[in-house]
Amino acid sequence: MSDSKGDPRRRHSAKVVDGPGKSASRAMLRAVGFTDEDFHKPQVGIASTWSQVTPCNSHIGELAEKACAGADAAGGKGVIFNTITISDGIANGTEGMKYSLVSREVIADSIETVAACEGFDGLVALGGCDKNMPGCLMGMARLNRPSVFVYGGTIMPGKGHTDIVSVFEAMGAHSRGDMDKIELKQIEETAIPGPGACGGMYTANTMASAIEALGMSLPDSSAQNAVSEEKRDDCQRAGEAVLALLEQDIKPSDIMTRAAFENAITVVIALGGSTNAVLHLIAMARTVGVSLSLDDFTEIGRRVPVLADLRPSGHYMMSELVAIGGIQPLMKVLLEAGLLQGDCLTVTGRTLAENLADVSPYPLDQTIIAPLSAPLKAESHLRILYGNLAPDGAVAKITGKEGTHFSGPARVFGSEEEAQQRINDGTVVSGDVVVIRYEGPRGGPGMREMLTPTSAIMGRGLGDEVALITDGRFSGGSHGFVVGHVTPEAFDGGPLALLENGDQITIDAEANTLVVALSDAELARRRANWQQPAPRYTRGVLAKYARLVGSASEGALTDLG
C-alpha cells in the first residue's frame, strides 16, 4: 500500500494513489503495468503528439518511449498519453485549415485535463508541428508543474533542395502555365522525404528555437534532425531532467519570466522567424501571467538584427543550420553582445549563461549566420503596424527584399477561397493590394494561414508586384509583401470590413503604418451602413471557439473569460 511519507516530489500523485482509500486507483494502474514500487515514485506524464496525420509527428511515438525510459531510469514512473495534432501543410487552402489555430487550444486543454486529472507530478511534452508546440507550453504553464518540452526535430531536404513550400509554389507555377503536370508531380513525390517538421525557418522551427531560448527545452533540442541519434538522446535526457526539476522544485513559472520571453523574441528576430511567433509568444506569456504585447516586438526589434539566411526569404534549411551547430553558437554571440539576458533559469537547472559557457563558435567558412558586424538586416523583420486600417495593430514580415513601402488599390475578397480563385484566373494584377477579410479568429473562425494564396502569387510571378493584407495569419513559409493579424478583425467591425475595391492602401514598414486613403468621416459613413455577417458556424468546436476567442493582438486565447 503506497504512502507518500511527505515526499515533496509527489505532491500530486500522492493524492491519487496513497492510502487505503485509493485502492481502486491502484487497482486500475496495476492493469496498465504499475508495480508496488511504482506507487512510491513521482509520476511523469509524457504528452505525445504522435499520429499518422503528418510527417511532422509520425516519429514522435518512438521519441515518447525514449522520454518515458529517461524518466523511469531517473527514478520516476513515466506514463505516456496522447494529444492531437493537425497538419497545416495538408489542410492549407481548405475549410479544414480553420481548425489549425483551434487545435492549439485543444492541445493545451487536453494536456491540462489529463495531467490534472491523473495527478502527474511532472511533464515531458513532445511536439513537432506549428500549433502543438505552443499548445504544449500553454498546457505546461497552466499546470505549473516541473516540465520539459522536446521538439520532434526538422525534416531533411527533398530532392533538389526542396520542401513543402516548393510544392505550394510549384502549384502556382503550374496554374500560370510555367510548369507541366509531370514536373509538378516530380516535386510532389520528392519534396517531403520522411519524418520531421517543415525544413525552413517556418513556424515549427521558429517556435522550437523560441522555446529553447525561453529555457523550456534542453540545449540543442530545437536544432536536431527528426531522425537522428541526437534527437533520441534528447528525449531520454528530457525524461531524466524532469526528475531533477522535481528535486529542485523548478516550475515553468520560474523559467518563463518576462526576461526569458524577451530572450525568445530576440532569437526569433535573429533567425528571421515566422510572424506566428508573435501570436504564440504573447499567448504563452499571458498563460503564465507575464505581460507581453505587440509593442515589445517593436522595442526589441530596434536593437536586434536579422542574422540567419534561412528559408523562406533566405537560402538555407534548418538541417543545414543543424550541421554547423544549431542555434547555441548564435545565442552565445547574442549573449556576449548584451542582447540576451544570461541570468534566466532553464530546464537544465542552470542559467542560460551557464548553458552557453562552453559552446563552440560556428565554423569560420559557414555562410548561414551573418556576423553582427554585417547583418542581413539591421533591425527586425517583424514589423508591428498601426494606422486607420489597424487601430489595434497588425504584423508584417518584411525582410527588406520586398522593399519597405507598397501602395496600391485594394482588391477585396471575403474569403481565402475567393481570393485564391481570382489570383489563379488573373483578376489580381500587378500593383494590387489583395485584401482577404473575415478570416480572423472569430470571423473565419480560426484565423487561417494564407500560404496557398501567397504561394500562388509567388508562383504567378507577382511576388514583387502585389501586396496582401488580411485579418488571418500567414504560414512561416509565406514570403512577399504580406501583412496579417490585422486587428480589430473584420467580423468585429474592424476597418478591413469597410474597404471597397479601388481604395488606396499604403503599407510603410519604416514608419510602421497601415493606412487607407479615406477620411474619418467616410469610414464612419461606411461603418454606419455595415452589418456583421452571420456566423459561419453555429454548432461544434468552431462555433465554441468563435464565442470564446480573444483578439489576435492579445494572443487569440480562449481561457481569459
Side-chain angles (χ1 to χ4, degrees):
M1 187 179 298
S2 178
D3 185 353
S4 70
K5 296 181 180 178
D7 185 347
R9 302 174 305 161
R10 300 186 58 244
R11 58 171 51 97
H12 301 287
S13 62
K15 298 173 184 176
V16 176
V17 301
D18 283 7
K22 300 303 179 188
S23 287
S25 303
R26 293 193 297 276
M28 294 285 283
L29 289 169
R30 290 180 192 278
V32 296
F34 272 62
T35 66
D36 281 346
E37 186 180 44
D38 290 332
F39 293 120
H40 297 281
K41 299 174 181 176
Q43 291 187 29
V44 179
I46 313 293
S48 169
T49 56
W50 174 85
S51 77
Q52 291 181 316
V53 167
T54 166
C56 307
N57 295 67
S58 63
H59 61 305
I60 283 180
E62 176 194 355
L63 299 183
E65 296 281 356
K66 291 288 186 183
C68 191
D72 291 348
K77 176 58 179 174
V79 181
I80 299 173
F81 67 98
N82 263 80
T83 183
I84 67 163
T85 191
I86 57 87
S87 173
D88 293 354
I90 295 171
N92 245 303
T94 73
E95 192 76 359
M97 189 63 191
K98 292 182 177 179
Y99 291 87
S100 172
L101 188 58
V102 176
S103 76
R104 186 190 74 180
E105 308 302 300
V106 175
I107 291 161
D109 290 349
S110 64
I111 290 174
E112 177 191 355
T113 299
V114 175
C117 176
E118 300 301 315
F120 296 141
D121 301 297
L123 286 168
V124 176
L126 302 95
C129 201
D130 299 16
K131 311 309 167 301
N132 54 55
M133 287 188 274
C136 287
L137 267 290
M138 289 160 60
M140 291 172 168
R142 291 181 193 174
L143 291 157
N144 201 32
R145 301 175 189 182
S147 303
V148 177
F149 176 78
V150 178
Y151 179 41
T154 187
I155 198 170
M156 299 303 290
K159 184 179 179 181
H161 210 240
T162 52
D163 62 8
I164 185 61
V165 176
S166 307
V167 185
F168 277 98
E169 294 186 358
M171 290 160 55
H174 176 261
S175 73
R176 189 176 63 176
D178 289 347
M179 181 179 291
D180 63 31
K181 289 183 179 179
I182 294 174
E183 292 173 298
L184 177 59
K185 189 168 187 288
Q186 287 173 338
I187 293 177
E188 171 193 327
E189 290 175 342
T190 60
I192 312 295
C198 299
M201 190 48 64
Y202 311 144
T203 305
N205 283 315
T206 297
M207 291 312 302
S209 301
I211 292 167
E212 181 176 329
L214 187 67
M216 284 299 294
S217 60
L218 294 174
D220 287 322
S221 185
S222 73
Q224 294 162 337
N225 296 321
V227 180
S228 67
E229 192 58 40
E230 290 80 8
K231 181 47 65 183
R232 289 187 286 271
D233 181 60
D234 180 41
C235 297
Q236 176 91 20
R237 290 186 297 111
E240 296 168 357
V242 173
L243 271 297
L245 293 173
L246 281 163
E247 289 284 351
Q248 299 171 74
D249 194 27
I250 296 174
K251 299 180 289 295
S253 60
D254 300 314
I255 296 170
M256 298 170 67
T257 62
R258 165 74 188 202
F261 277 100
E262 291 176 356
N263 285 346
I265 293 171
T266 296
V267 169
V268 166
I269 292 170
L271 290 169
S274 166
T275 54
N276 283 314
V278 179
L279 186 79
H280 295 322
L281 287 172
I282 289 174
M284 289 157 54
R286 288 171 68 87
T287 301
V288 80
V290 169
S291 176
L292 198 70
S293 72
L294 290 176
D295 294 337
D296 291 315
F297 287 81
T298 298
E299 179 61 31
I300 294 170
R302 290 192 181 105
R303 60 179 182 267
V304 179
V306 178
L307 300 176
D309 187 16
L310 295 166
R311 291 188 178 187
S313 298
H315 298 93
Y316 295 98
M317 294 192 186
M318 190 67 180
S319 58
E320 293 165 303
L321 182 60
V322 170
I324 65 166
I327 72 167
Q328 290 278 299
L330 170 63
M331 290 172 65
K332 188 168 186 178
V333 168
L334 295 171
L335 177 67
E336 291 172 347
L339 296 172
L340 288 180
Q341 299 172 69
D343 58 350
C344 291
L345 188 63
T346 75
V347 292
T348 65
R350 302 188 300 272
T351 66
L352 181 68
E354 289 170 335
N355 289 344
L356 294 172
D358 297 325
V359 170
S360 300
Y362 289 121
L364 292 176
D365 60 349
Q366 67 86 24
T367 56
I368 302 174
I369 303 295
L372 277 172
S373 58
L376 300 181
K377 191 172 187 291
E379 291 188 354
S380 177
H381 63 301
L382 297 175
R383 314 303 290 186
I384 308 303
L385 312 181
Y386 292 96
N388 65 354
L389 271 182
D392 293 343
V395 182
K397 182 165 75 173
I398 306 295
T399 66
K401 296 178 180 180
E402 311 85 354
T404 58
H405 186 278
F406 196 102
S407 187
R411 183 83 63 173
V412 183
F413 304 107
S415 70
E416 179 184 357
E417 287 84 358
E418 183 186 4
Q420 181 68 23
Q421 182 180 354
R422 296 307 171 215
I423 293 166
N424 287 337
D425 70 12
T427 299
V428 172
V429 297
S430 177
D432 282 348
V433 178
V434 176
V435 177
I436 306 179
R437 63 191 180 192
Y438 298 113
E439 290 286 5
R442 294 186 64 211
M447 203 181 181
R448 283 190 287 186
E449 292 181 348
M450 301 295 153
L451 179 58
T452 301
T454 59
S455 296
I457 287 168
M458 288 293 175
R460 293 187 68 84
L462 295 172
D464 296 330
E465 302 169 20
V466 167
L468 190 154
I469 67 173
T470 180
D471 50 8
R473 297 182 294 124
F474 293 108
S475 162
S478 292
H479 55 123
F481 216 110
V482 295
V483 181
H485 309 206
V486 176
T487 54
E489 62 176 286
F491 187 81
D492 289 337
L496 280 191
L498 312 178
L499 291 177
E500 298 174 0
N501 284 331
D503 289 341
Q504 192 72 14
I505 294 172
T506 298
I507 307 164
D508 189 329
E510 291 183 339
N512 293 333
T513 55
L514 175 63
V515 298
V516 59
L518 295 172
S519 67
D520 291 346
E522 175 59 16
L523 287 170
R525 184 191 68 78
R526 294 185 187 185
R527 181 168 285 106
N529 295 323
W530 175 79
Q531 291 187 331
Q532 186 179 61
R536 285 172 167 152
Y537 289 82
T538 58
R539 296 293 303 274
V541 67
L542 290 179
K544 180 166 63 175
Y545 180 85
R547 288 194 295 270
L548 293 174
V549 70
S551 167
S553 291
E554 298 177 345
L557 288 167
T558 58
D559 67 330
L560 291 180

